[in-house]
Amino acid sequence: YVVGEHGDTSVALWSSVRVGGVPMLQPGQAPSDLHRAMHREVVDSAGDVIRRKGYTNWAVGLTGAYIAKSVVKDQRNIYPVSTCVRGMHGITEDVFLSIPCSLGAHGIRRVVNVPMTEQEVGEFLRSAETVWKVQEGIWDSI
């Protein structure tokens, strides 16, 4: 999964990646430069698509359709969606970040607690802080 905000401070949870049931990283192994480059390419890809065709609507539309189907049919599929992460890893503010959640007829049925390494938790907290800095002034005005 990729968690956090949708962009520069998103966090690739390499420690949770399995290929054929085999962990991509061994316990305690840090992501390599190749892993970081792959994540950077994903983060930068929206800008590349926009430069080439002017918009990114196909992926957004397809994702919206999958989410809608999961809700309408109460499928309880797991998707990374934005929800309040107050309480996760010591976050005290009402910050909304993308994390894996089971979606059904009543919306988010549960948050899936994907284990994170210390490094991933640190990056997740930095993502939360980045989003909080953008939104904190809004809470005082509502």
Side-chain angles (χ1 to χ4, degrees), residues 84-95 124-125:
C84 185
V85 296
R86 182 181 5 91
M88 290 185 73
H89 304 291
I91 296 170
T92 57
E93 296 85 7
D94 286 332
V95 177
F124 184 74
L125 293 173

Side-chain angles (χ1 to χ4, degrees), residues 9-104:
T9 68
S10 63
V11 182
L13 298 182
W14 292 108
S15 66
S16 70
V17 174
R18 305 286 184 271
V19 178
V22 178
M24 182 174 275
L25 300 178
Q26 296 303 312
Q29 181 183 2
S32 68
D33 289 341
L34 177 60
H35 293 112
R36 285 187 283 281
M38 283 191 286
H39 181 234
R40 176 54 41 201
E41 186 175 334
V42 169
V43 170
D44 293 343
S45 66
D48 291 340
V49 171
I50 291 168
R51 277 190 292 285
R52 293 173 191 219
K53 70 176 196 173
Y55 50 87
T56 60
N57 63 338
W58 290 104
V60 173
L62 186 59
T63 301
Y66 284 138
I67 289 171
K69 182 178 179 183
S70 187
V71 171
V72 169
K73 293 188 174 193
D74 196 26
Q75 292 179 324
R76 302 178 186 193
N77 292 332
I78 297 171
Y79 294 104
V81 295
S82 185
T83 191
C84 185
V85 296
R86 182 181 5 91
M88 290 185 73
H89 304 291
I91 296 170
T92 57
E93 296 85 7
D94 286 332
V95 177
F96 290 76
L97 297 175
S98 179
I99 54 174
C101 296
S102 173
L103 302 178

Side-chain angles (χ1 to χ4, degrees), residues 86-130:
R86 182 181 5 91
M88 290 185 73
H89 304 291
I91 296 170
T92 57
E93 296 85 7
D94 286 332
V95 177
F96 290 76
L97 297 175
S98 179
I99 54 174
C101 296
S102 173
L103 302 178
H106 300 286
I108 293 175
R109 306 230 4 129
R110 70 182 180 93
V111 171
V112 178
N113 188 13
V114 178
M116 296 185 203
T117 65
E118 285 184 35
Q119 179 181 348
E120 290 166 345
V121 169
E123 292 174 13
F124 184 74
L125 293 173
R126 279 189 290 284
S127 187
E129 180 64 25
T130 299

